Amino acid sequence: MVHKHQNLQIHNQNDENSTPFRWVRPTYNSLKVNVDAVVFTDCGSFGASILIRDHNGFFVKAKSVAQSGKSKPREAEARALMKALLWITQL
């Protein structure tokens, strides 16, 4: 299944001062990797989602990962980015 994301707006609902932004396509014949993380404080774990899209905005590949251990949101984002970098180097 192919998905196309256009005019995607993201807004941090927990931050009244955050500004929505739009997903920007990568240059022609390039891929873009988006990473997001979530912290589950109740069970002491965090998860990450990794999404790859092409220059047309079409879905290429995705992955989700979960890891046990306490983490602050920024640390979880950094760990998610590291996992994404390791994953794309293996493709």
Side-chain angles (χ1 to χ4, degrees):
M1 177 181 251
V2 177
H3 298 281
K4 188 171 184 178
H5 301 275
Q6 288 184 334
N7 301 322
L8 177 66
Q9 287 193 5
I10 300 170
H11 183 70
N12 184 346
Q13 296 174 353
N14 296 326
D15 185 356
E16 296 174 4
N17 298 319
S18 80
T19 304
F21 60 93
R22 293 184 185 269
W23 182 83
V24 178
R25 295 177 189 214
T27 57
Y28 177 75
N29 210 20
S30 296
L31 299 174
K32 187 169 193 174
V33 179
N34 292 102
V35 178
D36 196 16
V38 61
V39 175
F40 303 106
T41 53
D42 296 353
C43 57
S45 64
F46 68 94
S49 60
I50 307 162
L51 176 70
I52 302 173
R53 291 186 270 177
D54 68 10
H55 64 273
N56 289 312
F58 288 110
F59 171 86
V60 175
K61 201 166 198 154
K63 180 177 184 171
S64 62
V65 294
Q67 186 171 336
S68 61
K70 293 183 180 180
S71 180
K72 294 182 180 179
R74 289 185 191 241
E75 181 183 352
E77 291 281 346
R79 288 182 180 199
L81 180 58
M82 191 63 163
K83 289 185 179 299
L85 291 171
L86 291 170
W87 180 54
I88 63 173
T89 59
Q90 298 171 357
L91 297 179

